[in-house]
Amino acid sequence: MEEHIKIFDTTLRDGEQTPGVNFTFDERLKIAKPLENWGVDVIEAGFPASSLGSFKSVKAIAKALTTTAVCGLARCKKTDIDTVYEATKDATKPQVHVFIATSPIHLEHKLKMTQEEVIASINEHVSYAKELFEVVQFSPEDATRTEIPFLIKCVQTAVDASATIINIPDTVGFSYPTEYGLIFKKLKESIHSDNQIIFSAHCHDDLGMAVSNSLAAIEGGARRIEGTVNGIGERAGNAALQEVALALYVRKDHYCIESKINLKQTKKISDLISRYAGIRVPRNKAIVGQNAFSHESGIHQDSILKHRETYVIMTPQLVGVGTTELPLGKLSGKHAFSEKLKALGYDISTKDQVALFKQFKEVADKKKDVSDRDIHAIIHGTEHEQSAIYQVENLQLQYVSKDVQSAVVVVKDNEGQIYQDSSIGTGSIVAIYNAVDRIFKKHTELIDYRIESVTEGRSTCSAHY
Ligand code: KIV
Ligand code: ZN
């Protein structure tokens, strides 16, 4: 099989260590299968010894997946390793990930162990894991703050005890690309084994370098990258796998090795994780952000229309995003406006477009983005799309019983007319929208709903429908 960069997805383990994220059992299963379809090689499904919930979901995922390896995390403790064995034994390809911290600061303050004790523990627990698993991965936690000679000693011990995957975690996101890449180079030169050893990178994003560090690891000889979808994870998160996969694809001229990620499903998996984690992807996030394929500047829009590659290094279709957006705004020029008219199916003479373009500019001065509906309105001589036709004037919620809430909703339209009604529902949101349905005598579809804390202890809620 052609060599490829293996992708180890830890969205369900390190990703779930994101403050505020807690996937339910069902969500974990609903995430695991799409991850397999996305093409990751290994899924770290959880830390089974940490809770019964984690154990049960790792077990269910192990049973559900058919091609992807399923891995569980274990401390250097036989009971942890046994629990991973129990949880993953039904997997097509079970794996265990054994770790212990190796940096001086962790040894002194966290483990209170000497270096000799750590070496003995690695030998004992990796050897034990090898009795139960064909594939054993070992991680020296906080590797990037471990002195290189001791790091080499730890890794050689793990390899001698039959670990075949060595993961080098930048646990606190402290390293930088050249330094991190050199650690892999050094390890590859120093570690000896009769087995083929795969070196793996695991980066945190505290300094915003997780993806760059992962790519530098590949240059240093790593052949497996650990990370999460959307880069969720402990503190600032982990390396965003979609960025690693796309960098390898778009810059294959440089890396000369790719992953087996099914790039077309990237946006879909990103949306899924965003929804279940309850974490919005920033608009400007590479590849999966709403703006990732939008070109706002008039100069850019004009150039793209003349020759796409002037400002486009990858198509949105490559990652499963429907179309390239050339959003019309106040910076858009005549060329982009004219193309938009064509795309919307209008055949308007250049002469007539002059007046329409003037009107468009007036609207664009008032609104940040000019939507397709605004364009239709300009052409048909109606008002441009209003940002809000109705506003909530008053809202009262009442707890009726465990499963029944009631809502009184008062809305005002932009001519000052008041409408009101009340309803009940199984929760307060359902009650509110039932009341809204009664006001408008229509079924409203809730498209987006958010509760955001403005300051500690106070919340605002925004909904679009
Ligand atoms: O960041 C880290 O060190 C980890 C280990 C458990 C590998 O997540
Ligand atoms: Zn981590």
Side-chain angles (χ1 to χ4, degrees), residues 447-463:
I447 296 169
D448 187 14
Y449 163 76
R450 260 183 293 162
I451 295 180
E452 283 165 9
S453 175
V454 178
T455 57
E456 277 172 43
R458 302 184 67 189
S459 293
T460 57
C461 161
S462 69

Side-chain angles (χ1 to χ4, degrees), residues 143-177:
T144 53
R145 292 193 300 170
T146 302
E147 321 87 303
I148 293 286
F150 184 58
L151 183 64
I152 293 174
K153 207 168 164 190
C154 292
V155 170
Q156 189 63 59
T157 304
V159 163
D160 290 344
S162 297
T164 50
I165 300 173
I166 298 297
N167 179 50
I168 302 298
D170 183 24
T171 303
V172 291
F174 177 70
S175 204
Y176 53 88

Side-chain angles (χ1 to χ4, degrees), residues 5 18 111-112 127 160 199 208 212 321 364 424:
I5 295 294
T18 308
L111 298 179
K112 302 198 188 317
S127 305
D160 290 344
F199 288 92
S212 310
V321 173
I424 55 164

Side-chain angles (χ1 to χ4, degrees), residues 13-14 202 204 238:
R13 199 278 297 169
D14 225 349
H202 177 113
H204 281 270
N238 290 56

Side-chain angles (χ1 to χ4, degrees), residues 251-310:
R251 295 310 310 268
K252 47 180 166 281
D253 60 313
H254 175 70
Y255 293 106
C256 303
I257 185 161
E258 284 186 55
S259 73
K260 280 191 165 168
I261 288 293
N262 181 355
L263 300 177
K264 264 201 172 326
Q265 293 192 19
T266 300
K267 180 72 169 90
K268 205 162 124 200
I269 190 88
S270 163
D271 288 347
L272 183 88
I273 299 301
S274 168
R275 197 163 65 245
Y276 287 143
I279 297 183
R280 284 185 161 245
V281 170
R283 285 172 78 114
N284 63 334
K285 180 88 174 151
I287 299 149
V288 289
Q290 202 184 321
N291 292 354
F293 297 96
S294 286
H295 304 267
E296 173 88 5
S297 141
I299 297 172
H300 291 208
Q301 293 188 347
D302 183 56
S303 304
I304 288 170
L305 290 166
K306 286 175 178 146
H307 186 81
R308 229 177 132 66
E309 281 72 33
T310 47

